[in-house]
Each structure stands twice: as C-alpha cells, then as structure tokens.
Amino acid sequence: MVGSSVELEATMSSNGSLVNGKALDRMTAARELATTVVTDPVPLVVESDGVDLEITREIVLGKNVHTTCFEVTEPDADDESTGDKDAYMASVLARYRKTLVERTKHHLGYPYNLDFDYGALGQLQHFSINNLGDPFIESNYGVHSRQFEVGVLDWFARLWEIEKDDYWGYITNCGTEGNLHGILLGREVFPDGVLYGSKESHYSVFKAARMYRMECVKVGTLITGEIDCADFKEKLLQNKNKPAIINVNIGTTVKGAVDDLDLVIQTLEECGFSHDRFYIHCDGALFGLMMPFVKKAPKVSFKKPIGSVSVSGHKFVGCPMPCGVQLTRLKHINALSSNVEYLASRDATIMGSRNGHAPIFLWYTLNRKGYKGFQKEVQKCLRNAHYLKDRLRDAGISAMLNELSSTVVFERPRDEEFVRRWQLACERNMAHIVVMPNVTIEKLDYFLNELIQGRSIWYKDEKVRPPCLATDIGTCNCCCALHK
C-alpha cells in the first residue's frame, strides 16, 4: 500500500545539494501524515456446518477513512530561489512511482491490460486537448483530436458491421459512460419502456435506471452467469404492453459470461415484440473487443436488431487512462442532440468536455496491433486462462472458466491481506482473476505458489475448511469437502 511504503526522507535537491531545514520540516510532517494509516476492519468469517465459509468486508458509509494522504502545502516566499518545494515533490513522486511498479507486479483481479508503451505520445502532454461537442462537427475550440477520434470510431464501425453513414458514436471517459449513454438512448426512443438486465450485469446498468427513473426488471442467470432466457421470457410476458430496453452482457463483471445475443432476440420475438418495440444495448466493456476473435462466439453486429454497443479502452486495448467507445445508429441520436451556440457545434454526449488525449492513444494502439495483433493477444489470454484453471483444479481448488472467457473464478482466499496484495476482485465466497495480455505464465505460477502455500496455513486446522462454491459455480467445479 502507498501509505506503508512511502517514507519521505531528507533527499538531495536537483543540483545535488542537501535541502534546507524548512524542507526537512515539511518532509517530516509529510512522513508522519503518510504513515498514519487507519487499518481496515478485520473481515468477518461466518462458518456454516463447519464447511461453508462466507467472508464479508464491512463498508462504513458516511465516514471518510484517510488511509493515506499527501498534504497540499503552500510554497514558502523564497521558494523560487531555493527550489525546496520542487525537491520535496520530486521525492514524493519518485517514491510513488516505486509503489506503482510494485502494485503492478501484483495485479490480477481487475481487467486492465498493463502491457503498453506510449512513450512516443509524451510530446503531446504539453497541450490541453479537449473534444467538445459532436465528434463529427468541429467546434470553435481548435485544440482537439477529432480526426483521431473519428478514425477510431470508423475502425469499430467496421468491426461491428455498420456503414459510416449509418452510425454515430464518440470516445467516452469510461465504460460506465457508454452504458449510461446506451440506456439513455433506449429511454429516449421508448420513454415508457422497461429496462431489463440480468442480475449479474455491471452495477452501472442499475445506476442508469436510478438516474433516469426507469422501471427496471432484474432477470435471473444460469450458473455460468449468462442471462436466463426462460426467466427473461416470463418477465417480458408480464409487461407485454410496454416496449423493452435490454442490456446484453458481452462478458459479465464477475464470471465473464457472455449473454447469447441471438437467443435474447429470439426470446423477444417469441413474446410478440417486433423490432420496432425493443432496444438492445450491448455492454462489451472487456470482451466486446475479444469476442470477434473467438471461435463459436456469438457475433455482435449492427446487422442484427441492436441499438448500441460500448467497450472500454483501458481494459483489453490497454490505455493508461480510463476511456471507452460508444457506437449507436445515427437515426437514434437525434433524440438526444441539441445545438450549442457556445460551441458552434451540437452535443449528444453524456459529458461536456471529453479527454482529447484518449482517442490518440486508442488510434496509436489500433494502428500498431490491428485485427491480427488483437487476435494473437486474445488467443494468448484464453490459453493462459485455461492453464490457470487447470492448475487450480489440480491443486484441489474450486475453479470455473466459461468457454468464451478469460476470467477464472475460484474460491476466495481466506486471508484478506492476500486478497489486497494480489488486488483480487471478490464477491461472496468467490474471487476471480482476469487474464489479460500482460499476465504471463510466470506471473500466474508466482501467484499459484503463494496461494497454495497460504492455503496450507489457512486450512491446517481440520475444523476450518475451504468454502463450498457449488451454488456459485456448480457442483462439477466445486472441490469442497462435500463435492470433490
């Protein structure tokens, strides 16, 4: 953690001389502040029949817990001549960089591709690049990157099979913004529509329902995490008189499950919903860019009756800042568009100002890798995910891997310090690892060795046993005392 590793000691200034007493005082104060850590509450362990362990972590609302903080202080009057402040900040940043290097080594639970090098784009950091308004209509603000943004959008339009004259889109600030925009479009097309999403959809889908005051129906899922179309059919028939707005997951958050888009469309048709009475948004935050390169995967295409697709740019693509891509049909966008005289453009986005650097990073990566490059990375991720799943099972650890996924679900480690060290994403008794292009076999072996060693300590007392995951991942994937 940053707070425990940062030690602000007296350092050398940029010209090699020792910093003066005032700087040392600031550093001493900062050191005390940075190492004042409020320890997280110890997670509770609930035992059921001596077998099933459910680990929960208390989250206290209405209280700010400052685990670490770098105080902002005013520079001294004579700081321009002494350079003390610059030396102090350089020390903080240098040590923070060491922390980032260390935490990156132990990063497995969240879907970020950390294998990138954008050194060539460092020359652009001196410019405030802002893509205000519509990507296809230039505003009065001239320091923008629309030419890169539209190039990226055209690339994704080809991927998802929609003609240039038929689509509209923009580079979002994150995957959640893509979901917010797609669902908002559905609401504008069908103001009285009902939003449907499986219970394993990303939390932003239900956030959108609250923000837009939409009627929302949660649909059950199969053991794999895919939407249960039998339950979907039942829920649709209860609201036959209202249009349907559906969120389809191209990779769920926890299990990496891919909803069967064709089966969702078939279910809608069987329930009497014609194509002009439903709107489908495809949330492809992570796997939306992987699925086109996976054999037998359901195809996401605008040749099918879908309304919009979104993906994240900082996940599989590998951008250093959060961003995403949102595409929809041009005919839908007029419901959101409004002319903005201040910009000399129109706007149909969620945000006003948009990161103008992000499209350049995306453009740079797409040019370097192309379709073939992404195909190789997808194949590598799937191979390594199968390797991880097999090794976990060989070690007697409950584990599941969906056929189209690189997300390996396994038993939640008993030690929360281990969870934080490896930055694992957890839900109930499950944890998961998302195998990304930067996750090598060597890194997986390093993790597995630590996990196996840890389990030998956590479960040395026979009264304490690994949790049962049968209800979460199926009895065939569970290795608990009852099912192995």
Side-chain angles (χ1 to χ4, degrees), residues 303-316:
K303 291 183 177 180
K304 300 177 181 180
I306 64 174
S308 52
V309 186
S310 63
V311 297
S312 295
H314 56 289
K315 292 180 180 175
F316 190 75

Side-chain angles (χ1 to χ4, degrees), residues 17-274:
S17 60
L18 283 172
V19 296
N20 65 19
K22 286 182 290 186
L24 288 174
D25 289 341
R26 280 201 298 268
M27 292 176 186
T28 300
R31 177 168 62 243
E32 292 174 355
L33 182 62
T35 56
T36 302
V37 178
V38 179
T39 307
D40 290 338
V42 177
L44 303 175
V45 178
V46 181
E47 299 189 26
S48 174
D49 300 327
V51 177
D52 191 4
L53 302 178
E54 182 173 347
I55 303 174
T56 59
R57 184 174 181 180
E58 182 182 4
I59 300 176
V60 181
L61 298 178
K63 180 182 179 181
N64 292 329
V65 181
H66 283 61
T67 55
T68 183
C69 172
F70 296 122
E71 185 181 9
V72 176
T73 59
E74 292 298 313
D76 294 324
D78 61 346
D79 190 62
E80 289 186 9
S81 60
T82 62
D84 295 344
K85 190 77 170 186
D86 288 342
Y88 159 70
M89 292 189 294
S91 172
V92 172
L93 293 174
R95 292 182 181 277
Y96 176 60
R97 185 182 185 281
K98 288 182 180 179
T99 300
L100 293 178
V101 171
E102 170 61 24
R103 301 312 287 134
T104 298
K105 289 179 182 177
H106 299 88
H107 182 278
L108 286 176
Y110 295 88
Y112 302 115
N113 180 3
L114 306 179
D115 185 17
F116 54 76
D117 181 2
Y118 291 106
L121 302 184
Q123 58 187 312
L124 304 179
Q125 68 177 336
H126 303 288
F127 302 96
S128 177
I129 309 176
N130 192 334
N131 287 1
L132 295 158
D134 192 303
F136 302 93
I137 302 176
E138 186 171 347
S139 74
N140 287 340
Y141 186 77
V143 188
H144 61 77
S145 63
R146 282 183 177 80
Q147 59 273 55
F148 293 93
E149 183 172 21
V150 174
V152 170
L153 295 172
D154 282 348
W155 189 91
F156 279 95
R158 291 193 297 272
L159 183 70
W160 294 323
E161 300 181 318
I162 185 168
E163 296 298 322
K164 287 184 179 182
D165 294 337
D166 294 331
Y167 88 86
W168 185 91
Y170 74 105
I171 305 299
T172 64
N173 289 300
C174 62
T176 288
E177 186 181 348
N179 287 343
L180 292 177
H181 192 271
I183 293 171
L184 179 59
L185 278 171
R187 201 280 306 272
E188 293 299 294
V189 173
F190 299 117
D192 60 338
V194 177
L195 174 61
Y196 299 87
S198 83
K199 66 179 184 179
E200 298 202 31
S201 299
H202 190 261
Y203 68 86
S204 61
V205 173
F206 308 108
K207 177 194 287 188
R210 292 194 303 273
M211 290 174 65
Y212 305 145
R213 302 291 180 91
M214 298 174 67
E215 183 180 353
C216 181
V217 176
K218 283 190 179 182
V219 181
T221 55
L222 307 176
I223 197 73
T224 58
E226 297 172 52
I227 189 171
D228 181 350
C229 280
D231 186 50
F232 180 43
K233 185 173 186 178
E234 183 179 326
K235 301 284 174 61
L236 281 172
L237 291 174
Q238 293 173 5
N239 296 283
K240 284 187 66 175
N241 61 325
K242 294 183 179 181
I245 302 165
I246 308 97
N247 178 78
V248 170
N249 295 302
I250 313 301
T252 58
T253 309
V254 176
K255 296 181 180 178
V258 177
D259 293 342
D260 190 330
L261 175 59
D262 294 329
L263 186 56
V264 167
I265 295 171
Q266 179 184 326
T267 303
L268 285 160
E269 292 171 344
E270 289 176 355
C271 292
F273 286 80
S274 56

Side-chain angles (χ1 to χ4, degrees), residues 422-441:
W422 285 99
Q423 301 164 69
L424 301 178
C426 300
E427 185 174 279
R428 299 188 301 278
N429 287 327
M430 298 178 290
H432 77 200
I433 285 175
V434 185
V435 179
M436 299 298 283
N438 63 291
V439 178
T440 62
I441 293 293

